[in-house]
Amino acid sequence: RKNTKRVPSFRKLLRTSQIKLDNKLKNKQYKQKSAAKKYRKQQKKLREAVRDAISRKPFPLEECKKKQVARKWEEKEEEDALPLDMMDEDDLKLMEDLAQKASFLTRDLSSNEPVHVKKRKHESVIEKYEKVPRRLQTEPEKELIHLLPIKDKSGIIPQAVEKPVLNAAHDEEEDTEDMEEAEDFNEEPLPVLTPEEMAAQRRQKLQERKIHIASLASAILSEPDSNIKKLKELRAMLMEQDPNVAVIVRKLVMVSLMEIFKDIAPSYKIRPLTEAEKATKVKKETQKLREFEEGLVSQYKFYLENLEQIIKDWKQRKLKKSNVISLKAYKGLAEVAVKCLCELLVALPHFNFHNNIIVLIVPLMNDPSKMISELCVEAVKKLFKQDKLGYASLGVVKVISGLVRGRNYDVRPEVLKVFLHLRIKEVELQKDSEDIAPKKKFMTYKEKRKNLSRMQRKWKKAEEKLERELLEAEASESKEKKLKLHTETLNIVFVTYFRILKKAQKSPLLPAVLEGLAKFAHLINVEFFDDLLIVLHSLIASGDLSYRENLHCVLSAFHILSGQGDVLNIDPMKFYTHLYKTLFSLHAGGTNEDIGIVLQCLDVMFAKRRKQVSQQRALAFLKRLSILALHVLPNSSVGILATNRVFMQTFPRMDLLLDNESQGSGVYLPELDEPEHCNAQNTALWELHLLQRHYHPTVQKFASHLIAGAPTEGSGALPLDLSQRSATELFETYCMKGMTFNPPVASVTPRRKDTFSQMDSFVDEELNKQLQQHISETAAQKPLDFAKHLKESSLA
């Protein structure tokens, strides 16, 4: 029969440790021993059954009657017997001697037969005991090694040699001797070390471990193909058992393995070999490469499992049986493990088990530990920024969406804010536009046979091959894949946003949702526009939102209307009113940073929709923005004045506000929150005169430029570095986060007044004398000690 047992693969041998092999051998030996023991018991029971059948013989009826009579006679004798205390000493001694003889006890007293008759009858008992095998200390069974037989005149003579079995008793004696020696060794008292000696010993051990780690790592990096097995040795150091250096060694090993995998991992994903590929014969170089790839993938998998186990132990506050590492040290180990996973997430998005790393990292973005959550959030942001095709981004977005839904929207806002870093600028177009420009399809084989001759088919085949090569050169296929992935990713993002808008409007995730909608609103499908604008308006009207959330709602609405929403007949007047009302909630304090959102809103609402904006609305916003420029920091003032410049250049008759004469009837109502009805045409931009005296030079330039009517040429025009920048760019350029003037203010040297002019400043001579006397007294005084004065005043 053909042996179907397969040879274990390299991967299986890698997984199987020496301990497992020893345990398998022990189990096999134990099964063999138990089977032999069971067989011996069965043989023993069989022999006993045969002996019992032989010893049992049928007794005649007369013997049974004699036995019954004898029992009755014995009972009578017992009744008539005298007590022992009435017997003589000689009789007692005789009875004791007779009791020691077996014949006296076993003899039937009722019979008149001689004493030794029964012994002759029951001699078979001795034979019975003779047949039982003795349990003596025999020599151990010897295994026979069969040799080639010898042929003689008498016939074939088999030949064999005994193979002696190892003496178990001798081994036990050796083990006991070793144990005794170990006990003697343990009984010796350990030397008591001083703290300095312990620190020196720890430093020495640590240095040895570092050298060992460095040697293994350098060997692997120098020749990864031949030294791949050393990865297992290095990974085994993650289980360092010395409590003095265990924590540091494990951290060093984790970081070293992470750097090694980043260096030696190939730039492609390694797939498992099929059975057909394994069966085929290959070159030595190919076989070596296969073994390297298989070993690399298996060790990388075990390494990731070790990191996951470290994080789980820390989360569950679980100590191992060995108690080598304390619970406090587990947090440090978990932080290093998370750092390694984050590095691998960003560095190896193309390699195996990347989705497993994503599943580990994404839940940690919502971790209570601020450090770990920030590490994971930053890693995901980096991954989004560098992911050009979109495979990794799609995987992360799927896991985040599942996490938000699984936690019932109870996650940190930072988890959703990472969506803002997605590199999605375009998605797949609608089917109508695709139908307008259909793709060129290649003919099928049947169509060619039907419509073309043999020569034409040959030319057609060459033509199609050339066209395919050209398409590959243009990378049109990869572009289509990219668009498909981006579309799927954005669909998942919008589904997450819409769920939160529908089910968790009072959730702390709402600002992140509105911010995301503001960024990706131009990519939303037109079918959702009406419903989305109604939801945004209802959110603002509810009054539950902060000013920042209101701004994001307005920005989202106008992004929707500025893109594909141009075809919709929707009046966004209510959103203009919301923004006009929100402007006065901004100031030079904490809300100064939100001026950037306001500038984006104004750009979308006025510059890109100038044909739909009335003159009254533009005048009202221009006046209110000029008032706001007095109450904010210089960078915000520059941005607002740049927006006012766009207003004056885009809309006609804005120079009405530069004249004192009122136009039409009515009085300007600055407190009214309706831009269409506040009569802004009857006021003037007097704020520009104040801004001309601003301490910031750029604000002064913009104020003077606007007073001159915002000309594009001439003496009142702005320099090119200011006129060619947008309001948002100017706001970021002149930012004052570093608490310094931007641009820096030139230092003014104070005038030195070394000499006092001797002039008759005062006509009165007495007053002059008193002044001179006072000046001389102050010059003679010692310099004042302000610190001493303050100390005395505080004590008083």
Side-chain angles (χ1 to χ4, degrees):
R1 186 180 175 183
K2 188 179 178 182
N3 187 12
T4 56
K5 191 171 181 181
R6 290 187 302 172
V7 179
S9 64
F10 178 69
R11 180 178 290 179
K12 195 167 183 181
L13 288 173
L14 270 176
R15 290 178 184 168
T16 311
S17 62
Q18 188 61 36
I19 299 168
K20 285 185 179 179
L21 293 171
D22 294 340
N23 290 341
K24 282 183 180 179
L25 185 62
K26 285 178 184 175
N27 290 338
K28 191 176 179 182
Q29 291 174 353
Y30 176 74
K31 284 179 181 178
Q32 289 175 354
K33 287 180 183 177
S34 59
K37 194 174 179 182
K38 191 175 180 182
Y39 177 73
R40 287 199 297 271
K41 280 184 180 179
Q42 289 175 352
Q43 293 296 320
K44 185 179 177 182
K45 284 180 181 178
L46 190 63
R47 287 196 298 271
E48 286 177 356
V50 170
R51 284 199 299 270
D52 291 343
I54 293 169
S55 61
R56 287 176 187 170
K57 292 180 180 179
F59 291 99
L61 290 173
E62 293 177 1
E63 289 184 4
C64 292
K65 286 179 183 178
K66 285 179 183 178
K67 283 182 181 180
Q68 288 174 3
V69 173
R71 282 174 192 164
K72 287 178 183 178
W73 184 256
E74 283 174 3
E75 287 173 3
K76 285 179 184 180
E77 281 185 350
E78 283 176 2
E79 289 173 2
D80 298 338
L82 292 171
L84 292 174
D85 55 353
M86 296 178 67
M87 294 177 69
D88 295 336
E89 291 181 1
D90 298 334
D91 296 334
L92 277 171
K93 194 173 181 181
L94 179 64
M95 291 291 288
E96 286 173 1
D97 293 338
L98 290 171
Q100 288 176 2
K101 295 179 180 180
S103 61
F104 176 74
L105 294 172
T106 55
R107 182 183 172 192
D108 192 358
L109 297 175
S110 61
S111 64
N112 298 321
E113 294 177 359
V115 177
H116 300 290
V117 171
K118 289 274 182 85
K119 279 189 180 180
R120 290 194 193 99
K121 286 183 180 179
H122 295 287
E123 277 178 359
S124 60
V125 176
I126 297 165
E127 292 176 3
K128 177 182 171 182
Y129 280 108
E130 285 294 330
K131 287 177 182 177
V132 175
R134 271 77 165 168
R135 290 186 180 178
L136 301 174
Q137 290 185 352
T138 56
E139 292 182 0
E141 296 178 3
K142 293 182 179 180
E143 188 180 348
L144 293 176
I145 301 172
H146 297 282
L147 303 176
L148 291 171
I150 299 170
K151 193 171 183 181
D152 201 1
K153 290 179 180 179
S154 56
I156 295 170
I157 304 168
Q159 298 289 316
V161 177
E162 293 179 352
K163 183 181 178 182
V165 183
L166 292 172
N167 195 352
H170 182 65
D171 293 343
E172 287 176 4
E173 287 176 6
E174 286 182 356
D175 291 341
T176 51
E177 286 175 5
D178 293 340
M179 289 292 288
E180 286 172 4
E181 287 176 5
E183 286 173 3
D184 295 340
F185 179 72
N186 291 335
E187 284 173 5
E188 293 178 5
L190 293 169
V192 180
L193 299 174
T194 59
E196 292 81 5
E197 290 174 346
M198 288 175 69
Q201 190 179 14
R202 182 176 177 275
R203 281 196 297 272
Q204 186 183 355
K205 284 181 182 177
L206 197 57
Q207 190 64 24
E208 289 173 0
R209 301 290 195 284
K210 284 180 180 178
I211 291 168
H212 188 49
I213 292 168
S215 62
L216 286 173
S218 59
I220 294 165
L221 291 173
S222 59
E223 293 181 3
D225 297 347
S226 53
N227 293 327
I228 194 66
K229 291 182 181 178
K230 290 190 177 179
L231 269 176
K232 187 176 182 181
E233 188 180 346
L234 185 57
R235 193 174 54 80
M237 292 183 75
L238 280 172
M239 301 298 143
E240 178 64 45
Q241 297 300 318
D242 192 343
N244 293 326
V245 294
V247 177
I248 297 176
V249 169
R250 291 186 185 189
K251 287 180 181 179
L252 290 171
V253 172
M254 279 192 278
V255 176
S256 303
L257 281 168
M258 180 261 294
E259 293 294 340
I260 287 168
F261 283 122
K262 279 168 65 177
D263 285 342
I264 68 173
S267 59
Y268 54 88
K269 191 174 182 178
I270 299 170
R271 63 172 181 80
L273 297 173
T274 60
E275 293 297 327
E277 286 173 341
K278 287 178 184 176
T280 54
K281 290 183 178 180
V282 291
K283 294 179 182 178
K284 286 184 179 179
E285 291 81 5
T286 311
Q287 186 63 30
K288 191 176 180 182
L289 180 63
R290 283 183 179 180
E291 289 176 0
F292 164 71
E293 288 178 348
E294 204 167 358
L296 177 64
V297 169
S298 63
Q299 291 304 317
Y300 186 56
K301 180 188 174 186
F302 293 144
Y303 172 62
L304 293 178
E305 286 174 355
N306 289 336
L307 295 182
E308 183 186 7
Q309 192 59 46
I310 289 167
I311 296 168
K312 277 184 180 177
D313 290 343
W314 169 65
K315 294 292 260 181
Q316 296 169 2
R317 304 291 190 273
K318 189 171 72 175
L319 276 173
K320 296 289 184 185
K321 291 179 181 178
S322 58
N323 254 351
V324 175
I325 296 174
S326 62
L327 275 174
K328 288 182 181 178
Y330 262 115
K331 186 179 180 183
L333 281 174
E335 285 175 359
V336 176
V338 170
K339 282 180 185 176
C340 293
L341 284 170
C342 291
E343 285 286 331
L344 293 171
L345 178 77
V346 177
L348 302 175
H350 58 276
F351 198 55
N352 300 53
F353 309 114
H354 190 256
N355 288 334
N356 303 68
I357 299 174
I358 290 170
V359 172
L360 279 174
I361 289 291
V362 168
L364 293 173
M365 292 166 67
N366 194 40
D367 196 78
S369 173
K370 191 177 179 182
M371 182 182 176
I372 286 177
S373 65
E374 284 178 357
L375 278 172
C376 298
V377 167
E378 288 301 318
V380 172
K381 285 179 183 177
K382 283 182 188 175
L383 182 66
F384 283 162
K385 286 177 184 175
Q386 73 176 25
D387 186 25
K388 293 180 180 178
L389 193 58
Y391 281 111
S393 300
L394 178 61
V396 174
V397 167
K398 280 181 178 177
V399 179
I400 290 175
S401 178
L403 177 73
V404 172
R405 194 177 180 185
R407 297 280 176 91
N408 199 16
Y409 313 105
D410 184 18
V411 296
R412 301 175 68 168
E414 288 80 5
V415 177
L416 277 187
K417 282 183 181 177
V418 296
F419 287 160
L420 300 174
H421 298 270
L422 285 166
R423 291 181 60 175
I424 299 176
K425 294 182 180 177
E426 54 180 347
V427 292
E428 278 186 337
L429 300 173
Q430 295 295 323
K431 288 184 179 179
D432 299 335
S433 58
E434 286 181 0
D435 293 337
I436 293 166
K439 296 175 188 176
K440 189 171 183 180
K441 293 182 180 178
F442 298 114
M443 293 177 73
T444 60
Y445 181 72
K446 285 184 179 179
E447 289 173 351
K448 288 177 186 176
R449 287 291 297 265
K450 188 176 180 181
N451 301 323
L452 303 176
S453 65
R454 187 175 178 184
M455 186 58 70
Q456 285 174 333
R457 286 200 300 270
K458 193 174 180 182
W459 278 102
K460 194 75 177 172
K461 188 176 180 181
E463 239 176 70
E464 287 178 359
K465 186 180 178 183
L466 184 62
E467 284 176 8
R468 284 196 186 95
E469 287 175 359
L470 288 171
L471 285 173
E472 286 176 8
E474 290 172 4
S476 60
E477 191 179 355
S478 63
K479 191 177 179 182
E480 288 173 7
K481 281 183 182 177
K482 184 179 175 181
L483 283 174
K484 206 169 186 178
L485 289 168
H486 284 185
T487 308
E488 191 178 349
T489 305
L490 206 61
N491 285 341
I492 296 168
V493 170
F494 283 140
V495 165
T496 308
Y497 284 165
F498 294 157
R499 276 180 188 154
I500 294 168
L501 283 174
K502 187 178 178 182
K503 297 182 180 178
Q505 290 188 358
K506 294 185 179 179
S507 167
L509 300 176
L510 192 61
V513 170
L514 295 172
E515 204 171 342
L517 284 173
K519 182 173 181 182
F520 301 116
H522 62 287
L523 300 171
I524 301 175
N525 197 345
V526 184
E527 297 171 1
F528 300 113
F529 281 3
D530 286 334
D531 296 334
L532 196 54
L533 286 172
I534 291 166
V535 169
L536 291 174
H537 178 62
S538 64
L539 283 171
I540 295 172
S542 66
D544 297 332
L545 304 182
S546 65
Y547 69 93
R548 186 184 177 87
E549 292 167 4
N550 280 330
L551 291 175
H552 280 306
C553 280
V554 172
L555 187 59
S556 304
F558 279 97
H559 270 304
I560 290 168
L561 294 172
S562 63
Q564 302 173 52
D566 287 337
V567 296
L568 299 176
N569 189 16
I570 297 172
D571 182 22
M573 181 58 201
K574 49 197 172 185
F575 293 106
Y576 281 99
T577 307
H578 288 314
L579 181 63
Y580 189 76
K581 199 185 298 182
T582 312
L583 284 177
F584 277 162
S585 62
L586 305 171
H587 49 73
T591 60
N592 185 73
E593 294 299 320
D594 300 322
I595 300 286
I597 307 170
V598 172
L599 296 176
Q600 290 178 36
C601 290
L602 291 169
D603 181 49
V604 178
M605 294 164 71
F606 288 93
K608 294 180 180 178
R609 294 175 61 85
R610 54 181 174 271
K611 292 181 180 178
Q612 287 96 349
V613 178
S614 65
Q615 185 184 355
Q616 292 292 331
R617 200 181 301 174
L619 288 169
F621 269 93
L622 181 61
K623 177 61 179 175
R624 184 159 282 200
L625 286 170
S626 300
I627 297 170
L628 181 62
L630 295 171
H631 304 287
V632 291
L633 292 179
N635 62 328
S636 302
S637 296
V638 171
I640 289 168
L641 292 175
T643 306
N644 286 353
R645 177 175 174 269
V646 173
F647 271 68
M648 295 182 80
Q649 290 177 347
T650 305
F651 297 98
R653 301 189 65 188
M654 288 292 109
D655 55 352
L656 291 173
L657 299 181
L658 300 176
D659 193 0
N660 289 334
E661 295 180 3
S662 60
Q663 302 286 329
S665 62
V667 180
Y668 174 59
L669 303 172
E671 72 280 359
L672 191 67
D673 289 334
E674 291 291 335
E676 296 282 349
H677 308 292
C678 65
N679 299 323
Q681 74 277 4
N682 294 329
T683 185
L685 296 177
W686 53 265
E687 295 87 5
L688 295 177
H689 289 280
L690 292 175
L691 291 168
Q692 267 187 315
R693 296 175 180 83
H694 199 278
Y695 66 87
H696 200 279
T698 312
V699 177
Q700 293 176 11
K701 287 178 185 177
F702 266 100
S704 303
H705 173 68
L706 292 175
I707 286 173
T712 54
E713 295 178 352
S715 59
L718 283 174
L720 287 174
D721 61 330
L722 295 177
S723 61
Q724 291 182 351
R725 292 186 187 179
S726 65
T728 312
E729 286 178 8
L730 289 166
F731 171 73
E732 291 172 357
T733 303
Y734 292 100
C735 183
M736 299 178 68
K737 283 184 179 177
M739 297 302 291
T740 56
F741 289 107
N742 188 8
V745 178
S747 60
V748 180
T749 55
R751 295 177 184 175
R752 297 184 65 186
K753 297 181 179 179
D754 297 335
T755 58
F756 186 77
S757 58
Q758 298 292 331
M759 292 172 64
D760 293 335
S761 303
F762 298 98
V763 179
D764 192 355
E765 292 181 0
E766 289 184 5
L767 185 58
N768 278 330
K769 285 179 183 178
Q770 287 178 4
L771 285 169
Q772 292 294 335
Q773 185 182 357
H774 183 69
I775 289 166
S776 61
E777 284 176 2
T778 52
Q781 282 180 356
K782 294 180 180 179
L784 293 173
D785 189 357
F786 291 103
K788 186 179 179 182
H789 176 70
L790 287 170
K791 193 180 288 184
E792 288 174 358
S793 63
S794 63
L795 290 170

